């Protein structure tokens, strides 16, 4: 994730970086600003340290986020661009609207024109061009409704746990016929450690025929994301 963000921001035409993990208000926002402008890092977070389990989530975010995104922030310090803190503590259906609202507030505050290119780091559900969940309006969809053209790049890894595989997909037809087919692991289909490709390279792209295993909207990966990046290892 961080690697791709840095590669994108190496292109100087991208004039801002917004991040869902940078909360719009509170200690995390201030910690990001302190490092970006003054190279001041907070203490790191050690989950094995005494009292760590009882630490307020605001304090955890203040300690974790500047360290997690330090390479990106270093790049932005060397080649200054706007940093947009668009994150929200709200969950559920309102989260997409809050992320979009924070984006609108941040660009308005800085006078950023609507046609200015930038990079936003969002979760897969919020970045989808078509609903990920049935009846759901994503953050990207809200931005496009307000005249911001978007392109989404979905990053998938070979990570898997009891909740499923990050790169797992199902045939789109299985949504309609309520079948229970085996999950297809996308990273198992290539040998390279990293590969990037368009999901819409041709009208018969196979990505029009598969869906994310967690998506219940009946929309394909190609409808939701223009590009995919697969990481192995």
């Amino acid at each position: 994730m961080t690697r791709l963000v840095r590669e994108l921001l190496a292109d100087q035409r991208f004039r801002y970086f917004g991040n869902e993990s940078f909360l719009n208000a509170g200690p995390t926002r201030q910690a990001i600003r302190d490092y970006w402008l003054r190279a001041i890092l907070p203490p790191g977070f050690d989950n094995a340290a005494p009292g760590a389990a009882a630490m307020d989530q605001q304090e955890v975010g203040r300690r974790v986020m500047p360290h997690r995104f330090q390479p990106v922030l270093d790049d932005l310090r060397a080649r200054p661009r706007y940093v947009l803190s668009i994150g929200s503590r709200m969950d559920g259906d309102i989260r997409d609207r809050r992320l979009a609202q924070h984006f609108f507030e941040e660009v308005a505050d800085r006078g950023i024109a609507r046609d200015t290119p930038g990079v936003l780091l969002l979760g897969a559900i919020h970045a989808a061009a078509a609903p990920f969940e049935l009846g759901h309006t994503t953050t990207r969809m809200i931005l496009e409704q307000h005249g911001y053209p978007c392109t989404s790049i979905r990053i998938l890894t070979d990570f898997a746990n009891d909740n499923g595989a990050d790169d797992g997909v199902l045939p789109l037809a299985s949504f309609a016929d309520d079948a229970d087919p085996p999950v297809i692991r996308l990273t198992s289909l290539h040998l390279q450690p990293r590969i990037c490709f368009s999901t819409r390279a041709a009208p018969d792209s196979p990505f029009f025929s598969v869906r994310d295993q967690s998506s219940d909207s009946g929309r394909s990966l190609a409808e939701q994301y223009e590009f995919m990046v697969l990481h192995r290892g």
Side-chain angles (χ1 to χ4, degrees), residues 26 45 66 87 105 107-108 124 126-127 139 141 155 157 168 170 183 188 209 220 222 227:
F45 176 68
E105 292 169 354
V107 297
H126 310 303
T139 301
M141 293 167 66
I155 302 175
T157 71
L170 297 170
V183 174
S188 69
S209 302
S220 69
F227 295 92

PDB file of all heavy atoms in Angstrom, residues 26 45 66 87 105 107-108 124 126-127 139 141 155 157 168 170 183 188 209 220 222 227:
ATOM      1  N   GLY A  26      -8.593  15.985  16.201  1.00  0.00           N
ATOM      2  CA  GLY A  26      -8.054  15.291  17.353  1.00  0.00           C
ATOM      3  C   GLY A  26      -6.551  15.062  17.289  1.00  0.00           C
ATOM      4  O   GLY A  26      -5.853  15.589  16.421  1.00  0.00           O
ATOM      5  N   PHE A  45       3.984   3.085  19.325  1.00  0.00           N
ATOM      6  CA  PHE A  45       3.019   2.320  20.124  1.00  0.00           C
ATOM      7  C   PHE A  45       3.516   0.890  20.269  1.00  0.00           C
ATOM      8  O   PHE A  45       3.797   0.213  19.285  1.00  0.00           O
ATOM      9  CB  PHE A  45       1.649   2.322  19.456  1.00  0.00           C
ATOM     10  CG  PHE A  45       0.630   1.467  20.165  1.00  0.00           C
ATOM     11  CD1 PHE A  45       0.159   1.828  21.408  1.00  0.00           C
ATOM     12  CD2 PHE A  45       0.162   0.286  19.589  1.00  0.00           C
ATOM     13  CE1 PHE A  45      -0.775   1.041  22.076  1.00  0.00           C
ATOM     14  CE2 PHE A  45      -0.772  -0.504  20.233  1.00  0.00           C
ATOM     15  CZ  PHE A  45      -1.244  -0.124  21.485  1.00  0.00           C
ATOM     16  N   PRO A  66       1.675   8.416  12.325  1.00  0.00           N
ATOM     17  CA  PRO A  66       2.875   9.062  11.778  1.00  0.00           C
ATOM     18  C   PRO A  66       3.995   8.075  11.475  1.00  0.00           C
ATOM     19  O   PRO A  66       4.726   8.241  10.494  1.00  0.00           O
ATOM     20  CB  PRO A  66       3.280  10.045  12.888  1.00  0.00           C
ATOM     21  CG  PRO A  66       2.026  10.305  13.640  1.00  0.00           C
ATOM     22  CD  PRO A  66       1.291   8.998  13.633  1.00  0.00           C
ATOM     23  N   GLY A  87     -10.221  11.384   7.571  1.00  0.00           N
ATOM     24  CA  GLY A  87     -10.741  10.255   8.341  1.00  0.00           C
ATOM     25  C   GLY A  87     -11.867  10.634   9.285  1.00  0.00           C
ATOM     26  O   GLY A  87     -12.032  11.795   9.674  1.00  0.00           O
ATOM     27  N   GLU A 105     -14.460  19.634   2.679  1.00  0.00           N
ATOM     28  CA  GLU A 105     -14.024  20.690   3.596  1.00  0.00           C
ATOM     29  C   GLU A 105     -12.531  20.970   3.459  1.00  0.00           C
ATOM     30  O   GLU A 105     -12.097  22.135   3.472  1.00  0.00           O
ATOM     31  CB  GLU A 105     -14.352  20.294   5.034  1.00  0.00           C
ATOM     32  CG  GLU A 105     -15.846  20.241   5.345  1.00  0.00           C
ATOM     33  CD  GLU A 105     -16.156  19.600   6.677  1.00  0.00           C
ATOM     34  OE1 GLU A 105     -15.222  19.076   7.324  1.00  0.00           O
ATOM     35  OE2 GLU A 105     -17.337  19.613   7.067  1.00  0.00           O
ATOM     36  N   VAL A 107     -10.487  20.401   0.805  1.00  0.00           N
ATOM     37  CA  VAL A 107     -10.112  21.049  -0.463  1.00  0.00           C
ATOM     38  C   VAL A 107     -10.618  22.489  -0.491  1.00  0.00           C
ATOM     39  O   VAL A 107      -9.956  23.378  -1.051  1.00  0.00           O
ATOM     40  CB  VAL A 107     -10.613  20.244  -1.686  1.00  0.00           C
ATOM     41  CG1 VAL A 107      -9.955  18.869  -1.731  1.00  0.00           C
ATOM     42  CG2 VAL A 107     -12.124  20.115  -1.707  1.00  0.00           C
ATOM     43  N   ALA A 108     -11.790  22.740   0.094  1.00  0.00           N
ATOM     44  CA  ALA A 108     -12.305  24.110   0.134  1.00  0.00           C
ATOM     45  C   ALA A 108     -11.418  24.995   1.001  1.00  0.00           C
ATOM     46  O   ALA A 108     -11.133  26.152   0.648  1.00  0.00           O
ATOM     47  CB  ALA A 108     -13.741  24.116   0.663  1.00  0.00           C
ATOM     48  N   ALA A 124     -11.337  -0.447   0.490  1.00  0.00           N
ATOM     49  CA  ALA A 124     -11.897  -0.961  -0.759  1.00  0.00           C
ATOM     50  C   ALA A 124     -13.377  -0.638  -0.918  1.00  0.00           C
ATOM     51  O   ALA A 124     -13.840  -0.296  -2.007  1.00  0.00           O
ATOM     52  CB  ALA A 124     -11.684  -2.469  -0.836  1.00  0.00           C
ATOM     53  N   HIS A 126     -15.088   1.901   0.292  1.00  0.00           N
ATOM     54  CA  HIS A 126     -15.311   3.324   0.058  1.00  0.00           C
ATOM     55  C   HIS A 126     -14.810   3.768  -1.317  1.00  0.00           C
ATOM     56  O   HIS A 126     -15.322   4.746  -1.875  1.00  0.00           O
ATOM     57  CB  HIS A 126     -14.623   4.147   1.141  1.00  0.00           C
ATOM     58  CG  HIS A 126     -14.937   3.677   2.522  1.00  0.00           C
ATOM     59  ND1 HIS A 126     -16.218   3.588   3.006  1.00  0.00           N
ATOM     60  CD2 HIS A 126     -14.135   3.238   3.527  1.00  0.00           C
ATOM     61  CE1 HIS A 126     -16.200   3.137   4.243  1.00  0.00           C
ATOM     62  NE2 HIS A 126     -14.945   2.911   4.580  1.00  0.00           N
ATOM     63  N   ALA A 127     -13.823   3.068  -1.869  1.00  0.00           N
ATOM     64  CA  ALA A 127     -13.211   3.473  -3.139  1.00  0.00           C
ATOM     65  C   ALA A 127     -13.916   2.892  -4.358  1.00  0.00           C
ATOM     66  O   ALA A 127     -13.573   3.241  -5.488  1.00  0.00           O
ATOM     67  CB  ALA A 127     -11.740   3.051  -3.165  1.00  0.00           C
ATOM     68  N   THR A 139     -17.982   6.396  -1.015  1.00  0.00           N
ATOM     69  CA  THR A 139     -17.357   7.719  -1.004  1.00  0.00           C
ATOM     70  C   THR A 139     -17.009   8.160  -2.415  1.00  0.00           C
ATOM     71  O   THR A 139     -17.250   9.315  -2.793  1.00  0.00           O
ATOM     72  CB  THR A 139     -16.085   7.697  -0.134  1.00  0.00           C
ATOM     73  OG1 THR A 139     -16.423   7.314   1.206  1.00  0.00           O
ATOM     74  CG2 THR A 139     -15.415   9.059  -0.107  1.00  0.00           C
ATOM     75  N   MET A 141     -18.456   7.354  -5.195  1.00  0.00           N
ATOM     76  CA  MET A 141     -19.685   7.711  -5.897  1.00  0.00           C
ATOM     77  C   MET A 141     -20.152   9.111  -5.499  1.00  0.00           C
ATOM     78  O   MET A 141     -20.620   9.889  -6.343  1.00  0.00           O
ATOM     79  CB  MET A 141     -20.771   6.664  -5.617  1.00  0.00           C
ATOM     80  CG  MET A 141     -20.465   5.291  -6.202  1.00  0.00           C
ATOM     81  SD  MET A 141     -21.548   3.971  -5.559  1.00  0.00           S
ATOM     82  CE  MET A 141     -23.135   4.488  -6.222  1.00  0.00           C
ATOM     83  N   ILE A 155      -5.823  -2.753  -4.269  1.00  0.00           N
ATOM     84  CA  ILE A 155      -4.637  -3.521  -3.895  1.00  0.00           C
ATOM     85  C   ILE A 155      -5.080  -4.778  -3.170  1.00  0.00           C
ATOM     86  O   ILE A 155      -5.841  -4.720  -2.208  1.00  0.00           O
ATOM     87  CB  ILE A 155      -3.713  -2.687  -2.982  1.00  0.00           C
ATOM     88  CG1 ILE A 155      -3.301  -1.385  -3.666  1.00  0.00           C
ATOM     89  CG2 ILE A 155      -2.475  -3.493  -2.603  1.00  0.00           C
ATOM     90  CD1 ILE A 155      -2.492  -0.464  -2.775  1.00  0.00           C
ATOM     91  N   THR A 157      -3.616  -8.642  -1.575  1.00  0.00           N
ATOM     92  CA  THR A 157      -2.452  -9.415  -1.158  1.00  0.00           C
ATOM     93  C   THR A 157      -2.843 -10.882  -1.003  1.00  0.00           C
ATOM     94  O   THR A 157      -4.023 -11.238  -1.125  1.00  0.00           O
ATOM     95  CB  THR A 157      -1.904  -8.902   0.188  1.00  0.00           C
ATOM     96  OG1 THR A 157      -2.830  -9.252   1.232  1.00  0.00           O
ATOM     97  CG2 THR A 157      -1.725  -7.386   0.169  1.00  0.00           C
ATOM     98  N   GLY A 168      -9.506 -13.183  -2.481  1.00  0.00           N
ATOM     99  CA  GLY A 168     -10.512 -14.168  -2.876  1.00  0.00           C
ATOM    100  C   GLY A 168     -11.647 -13.557  -3.686  1.00  0.00           C
ATOM    101  O   GLY A 168     -12.201 -12.520  -3.337  1.00  0.00           O
ATOM    102  N   LEU A 170     -15.220 -14.641  -6.351  1.00  0.00           N
ATOM    103  CA  LEU A 170     -16.200 -15.660  -6.726  1.00  0.00           C
ATOM    104  C   LEU A 170     -16.774 -15.328  -8.094  1.00  0.00           C
ATOM    105  O   LEU A 170     -16.813 -14.157  -8.487  1.00  0.00           O
ATOM    106  CB  LEU A 170     -17.337 -15.706  -5.703  1.00  0.00           C
ATOM    107  CG  LEU A 170     -16.990 -16.109  -4.272  1.00  0.00           C
ATOM    108  CD1 LEU A 170     -18.191 -15.860  -3.353  1.00  0.00           C
ATOM    109  CD2 LEU A 170     -16.560 -17.557  -4.218  1.00  0.00           C
ATOM    110  N   VAL A 183     -13.674 -20.523  -3.627  1.00  0.00           N
ATOM    111  CA  VAL A 183     -13.079 -19.197  -3.777  1.00  0.00           C
ATOM    112  C   VAL A 183     -11.854 -19.289  -4.681  1.00  0.00           C
ATOM    113  O   VAL A 183     -11.038 -20.203  -4.564  1.00  0.00           O
ATOM    114  CB  VAL A 183     -12.686 -18.627  -2.407  1.00  0.00           C
ATOM    115  CG1 VAL A 183     -11.925 -17.314  -2.546  1.00  0.00           C
ATOM    116  CG2 VAL A 183     -13.928 -18.429  -1.544  1.00  0.00           C
ATOM    117  N   SER A 188      -2.756 -16.557  -6.746  1.00  0.00           N
ATOM    118  CA  SER A 188      -2.273 -17.882  -7.132  1.00  0.00           C
ATOM    119  C   SER A 188      -2.204 -18.045  -8.642  1.00  0.00           C
ATOM    120  O   SER A 188      -1.688 -19.045  -9.145  1.00  0.00           O
ATOM    121  CB  SER A 188      -3.201 -18.967  -6.556  1.00  0.00           C
ATOM    122  OG  SER A 188      -4.470 -18.937  -7.198  1.00  0.00           O
ATOM    123  N   SER A 209     -16.581 -10.820 -14.810  1.00  0.00           N
ATOM    124  CA  SER A 209     -17.284 -12.063 -14.485  1.00  0.00           C
ATOM    125  C   SER A 209     -17.062 -12.536 -13.058  1.00  0.00           C
ATOM    126  O   SER A 209     -17.540 -13.599 -12.682  1.00  0.00           O
ATOM    127  CB  SER A 209     -16.853 -13.176 -15.456  1.00  0.00           C
ATOM    128  OG  SER A 209     -17.119 -12.807 -16.788  1.00  0.00           O
ATOM    129  N   SER A 220     -19.492  -6.485 -10.460  1.00  0.00           N
ATOM    130  CA  SER A 220     -18.217  -7.145 -10.721  1.00  0.00           C
ATOM    131  C   SER A 220     -17.045  -6.290 -10.264  1.00  0.00           C
ATOM    132  O   SER A 220     -17.172  -5.073 -10.045  1.00  0.00           O
ATOM    133  CB  SER A 220     -18.069  -7.431 -12.219  1.00  0.00           C
ATOM    134  OG  SER A 220     -17.898  -6.210 -12.948  1.00  0.00           O
ATOM    135  N   ALA A 222     -14.579  -5.437 -12.118  1.00  0.00           N
ATOM    136  CA  ALA A 222     -14.298  -4.473 -13.177  1.00  0.00           C
ATOM    137  C   ALA A 222     -15.211  -3.254 -13.084  1.00  0.00           C
ATOM    138  O   ALA A 222     -14.809  -2.144 -13.431  1.00  0.00           O
ATOM    139  CB  ALA A 222     -14.446  -5.132 -14.544  1.00  0.00           C
ATOM    140  N   PHE A 227      -8.327  -0.587 -11.937  1.00  0.00           N
ATOM    141  CA  PHE A 227      -7.021  -1.253 -11.929  1.00  0.00           C
ATOM    142  C   PHE A 227      -6.902  -2.129 -10.689  1.00  0.00           C
ATOM    143  O   PHE A 227      -7.523  -1.877  -9.660  1.00  0.00           O
ATOM    144  CB  PHE A 227      -5.867  -0.239 -11.954  1.00  0.00           C
ATOM    145  CG  PHE A 227      -5.804   0.570 -13.212  1.00  0.00           C
ATOM    146  CD1 PHE A 227      -6.438   1.797 -13.312  1.00  0.00           C
ATOM    147  CD2 PHE A 227      -5.105   0.088 -14.313  1.00  0.00           C
ATOM    148  CE1 PHE A 227      -6.377   2.539 -14.477  1.00  0.00           C
ATOM    149  CE2 PHE A 227      -5.039   0.819 -15.488  1.00  0.00           C
ATOM    150  CZ  PHE A 227      -5.679   2.055 -15.572  1.00  0.00           C
TER     151      PHE A 227
END
